[in-house]
Amino acid sequence: MRVILASPRGFCAGVVRAIEIVERALERYGAPVYVRHEIVHNRHVVEKLRRKGAVFVDHLSDVPAGAQTVFSAHGVARSVVDEATARGLPVLDATCPLVTKVHVQGRRYAKAGRTLVLIGHAGHAEVEGTMGQVDAPVHLVSTPADVALLPIDPATPVAYITQTTLSVDDTRVVIAALEDRFADVIGPSVAEICYATQNRQTAVRDLARVSDVLIVVGAGNSSNSSRLREIGDEMGVPSYLVDDGDGVDPAWIAGAGAVGITAGASAPDELVDSVIAALARVRPVEVSQLDGVVETMSFSLPPELRRPAVTAAAA
């Protein structure tokens, strides 16, 4: 059985940066380091960091006074930042720079007097953070039907921003609905959606064209991983989302000549390896990789972690 890997797949630059922030904080300040929400949406990554001394909490009230704190890659509302400041908590912000870019866009549009619409999924950590970063009402939509229900006069100047991990196609459809309903609409191009999201969605389309079955490695609460599985389904390929190799059902690959594997932006390569191993226990496999975009993007760490640590002797 042929096993074909998508390229690119797995960790993006924002996830690499977020994980490195937690790891370096543990090295520099010692355990425990408190992380508000999961640093990224992947159980294996979270558990690995927990074993090193990271403590994951849902609320800042769960963080002891003076404890080193990290904000997750998804970003947080300004109220959370203000609470941390008021409590004097030392904070390292692991918000993905591309999410921060969306925050800046939203504030700029609101300051210009436009009514702001956020294209995204209710309840997602990134969406909650983005809505809390803008000092103005934000209308959340996820489908063209939601656009039709917006309580906004069609003559109102509108601007939109987007969750970074959405399907590019779905986003394009919602933007079209906004442009149909409102006379004055501005917002970023679909091409400005997170580079990693676009690259992985393009790669999974290429993969689906040569696969009988598609397996996406990623967490169930990972928006970008779920989108990859949905794209496979939309292309008519039976597609499954698994945490790791333990989630593979041998029945999925019965009769399959080629199984495609990709991974969401918060899934490490070791989990892809575990899926390949699970498939190999069912049938002999031959592994290859499609050609794809080579990602060279990287994001700098917070200044506190770029500076050399001050030793006791130096102090």
Side-chain angles (χ1 to χ4, degrees):
M1 180 174 63
R2 290 187 299 133
V3 171
I4 308 171
L5 305 179
S7 179
R9 65 182 181 278
F11 279 178
C12 64
V15 166
V16 170
R17 174 181 181 270
I19 294 170
E20 188 172 357
I21 285 173
V22 178
E23 291 178 334
R24 288 205 182 193
L26 286 164
E27 291 171 1
R28 175 161 296 194
Y29 306 114
V33 166
Y34 288 79
V35 184
R36 187 183 180 276
H37 288 332
E38 294 184 342
I39 186 67
V40 297
H41 283 156
N42 188 276
R43 173 175 59 86
H44 292 273
V45 171
V46 168
E47 288 301 324
K48 187 175 182 178
L49 291 173
R50 185 176 279 127
R51 289 192 295 271
K52 292 181 177 182
V55 178
F56 295 88
V57 300
D58 290 328
H59 308 285
L60 285 187
S61 57
D62 298 322
V63 178
Q68 185 64 53
T69 306
V70 178
F71 293 155
S72 80
H74 310 101
V76 299
R78 279 184 166 179
S79 60
V80 176
V81 177
D82 292 343
E83 182 183 352
T85 301
R87 291 191 56 199
L89 293 175
V91 171
L92 292 166
D93 189 357
T95 302
C96 174
L98 298 182
V99 174
T100 300
K101 178 182 176 183
V102 174
H103 297 170
V104 172
Q105 289 173 329
R107 290 195 291 267
R108 186 174 70 244
Y109 290 141
K111 187 175 181 180
R114 290 184 173 270
T115 296
L116 193 62
V117 175
L118 170 59
I119 304 171
H121 296 299
H124 191 277
E126 181 187 330
V127 166
E128 292 178 350
T130 297
M131 294 182 76
Q133 279 283 335
V134 181
D135 296 326
V138 181
H139 300 270
L140 179 64
V141 299
S142 60
T143 66
D146 294 336
V147 173
L149 297 174
L150 285 171
I152 305 172
D153 187 286
T156 303
V158 168
Y160 63 83
I161 52 178
T162 71
Q163 180 182 334
T164 61
T165 54
L166 298 179
S167 159
V168 175
D169 289 340
D170 289 347
T171 305
R172 188 178 287 114
V173 171
V174 177
I175 292 172
L178 287 168
E179 292 173 340
D180 285 343
R181 181 166 178 204
F182 299 102
D184 184 0
V185 182
I186 62 173
S189 157
V190 171
E192 289 189 53
I193 290 177
C194 166
Y195 79 95
T197 295
Q198 291 190 73
N199 289 347
R200 279 152 190 72
Q201 289 178 12
T202 297
V204 83
R205 286 187 173 85
D206 292 340
L207 185 63
R209 293 187 184 100
V210 296
S211 302
D212 300 313
V213 175
L214 180 67
I215 296 176
V216 179
V217 184
N221 62 340
S222 166
S223 177
N224 76 87
S225 299
S226 296
R227 299 292 84 72
L228 295 176
R229 186 201 60 76
E230 289 171 359
I231 289 170
D233 277 343
E234 289 165 4
M235 295 188 66
V237 179
S239 302
Y240 306 94
L241 178 64
V242 300
D243 275 336
D244 52 34
D246 290 340
V248 174
D249 184 342
W252 297 343
I253 60 172
V259 176
I261 301 178
T262 189
S266 50
D269 267 347
E270 64 201 58
L271 302 184
V272 173
D273 293 340
S274 77
V275 170
I276 296 171
L279 295 175
R281 287 193 291 271
V282 180
R283 290 163 57 189
V285 299
E286 177 184 281
V287 181
S288 62
Q289 178 172 289
L290 292 182
D291 291 333
V293 174
V294 176
E295 294 178 344
T296 58
M297 179 74 74
S298 64
F299 297 127
S300 62
L301 296 172
E304 303 95 311
L305 297 181
R306 296 199 300 266
R307 292 193 293 264
V310 177
T311 64

